[in-house]
Amino acid sequence: MAELIRGADLFSGEQSLKVIYFLTALVVNDFLLCYSAGKDREFVMRRFDLIIRKPFSYAFYNATIVIIAVNVFVYLLTSMFPGLVYILGLNPVLFWGARMYWQPFTYMFVHGGFTHIFFNMLGLVFFGIATERAMGSKEFILMYLLCGFLSGAASLAVYTFMGMFHILLMGASGAIYSMLLAYAVIFPRSMIYIWGILPVPAPLLIVLYAIIEFGSQFFGMQGGVAHLTHLAGFGFAWLYFVVRMGIHPLKVWKDAYR
């Protein structure tokens, strides 16, 4: 799971709001310009399919094992040099104030302890290898890194807007939760055995996890765990399937259990 570590408030709320408003204005303006220029809807959709949904050639080369190895390497590195956690983890003050703009990417390779990295990597083994083999390594890497990055960026935006500048976010959970959803979409009839004895359909497990994370985020359960980042991992994985692959998870699950 992703973890939160607390530090000092060094960045003013007024400054953070100005940054959020500026970035939002840029995104909205770009969106409006694209749509005002796209008079030929069919042409725009063709270009969209050509650019966004262009498939990769299939290849499989155990990218999951490489990602695990990178996580273990970074864990050992931060164990020897603990100060690296503040450079590679994600903190609003350091991101905005110290211009550590790499943090929304690097935070997903940083872990707060042996148990933290062990269970994250165990989840990646269980769900990542089969998902990678089905999707192909190139698609898998793109989805894993993109969803992990976007989960961190979304968390950063919320923490900044809410004035939670003491947060230090780290862990691969945003990316791993996206892989969990991907597994449930690709293998909708797969059974996952809880505690090795209780069979649960993969889509149902996703729904249960989402409910638990939602409740934990908004009702204050299990403090110190980045439930927001977990939910973001689910959300961005869902969008990835819809936008990038043209697949609607709900439709897949409904068809699988008719």
Side-chain angles (χ1 to χ4, degrees), residues 236-256:
F236 286 117
W238 190 289
L239 287 174
Y240 189 94
F241 273 102
V242 173
V243 176
R244 162 73 178 163
M245 308 184 77
I247 296 173
H248 294 266
L250 269 182
K251 186 178 185 302
V252 172
W253 296 338
K254 286 179 181 178
D255 291 344

Side-chain angles (χ1 to χ4, degrees), residues 14-186:
E14 183 179 352
Q15 289 175 310
S16 65
L17 284 176
K18 288 180 180 179
V19 171
I20 294 293
Y21 291 153
F22 176 72
L23 292 176
T24 302
L26 284 179
V27 172
V28 171
N29 184 61
D30 193 45
F31 177 82
L32 292 175
L33 284 175
C34 288
Y35 269 82
S36 63
K39 297 179 181 179
D40 186 346
R41 180 176 175 79
E42 186 178 345
F43 172 77
V44 171
M45 292 306 297
R46 285 201 304 267
R47 294 292 296 174
F48 178 84
D49 288 341
L50 181 64
I51 297 172
I52 302 297
R53 292 182 177 168
K54 183 178 180 180
F56 292 115
S57 58
Y58 182 85
F60 178 78
Y61 40 79
N62 285 313
T64 303
I65 303 303
V66 175
I67 291 172
I68 291 172
V70 172
N71 276 273
V72 171
F73 173 76
V74 173
Y75 173 70
L76 294 174
L77 199 62
T78 54
S79 297
M80 291 186 290
F81 306 100
L84 285 176
V85 169
Y86 297 96
I87 297 174
L88 301 177
L90 179 56
N91 172 260
V93 173
L94 297 175
F95 178 86
W96 298 113
R99 300 181 180 180
M100 295 185 179
Y101 299 136
W102 57 83
Q103 289 188 341
F105 179 80
T106 57
Y107 86 98
M108 71 181 91
F109 298 101
V110 183
H111 291 84
F114 177 76
T115 303
H116 189 202
I117 189 172
F118 175 78
F119 284 107
N120 271 355
M121 296 304 102
L122 189 64
L124 192 52
V125 168
F126 284 159
F127 302 109
I129 293 176
T131 301
E132 179 191 355
R133 192 176 294 277
M135 298 176 73
S137 296
K138 297 174 185 176
E139 196 75 54
F140 173 83
I141 292 172
L142 176 62
M143 184 176 183
Y144 182 92
L145 295 180
L146 182 61
C147 289
F149 169 79
L150 291 175
S151 297
S155 299
L156 172 67
V158 172
Y159 296 149
T160 303
F161 183 77
M162 298 296 292
M164 300 168 67
F165 307 116
H166 52 277
I167 295 297
L168 180 62
L169 179 66
M170 54 185 172
S173 299
I176 291 173
Y177 271 61
S178 72
M179 290 299 104
L180 180 57
L181 186 135
Y183 180 89
V185 173
I186 295 170

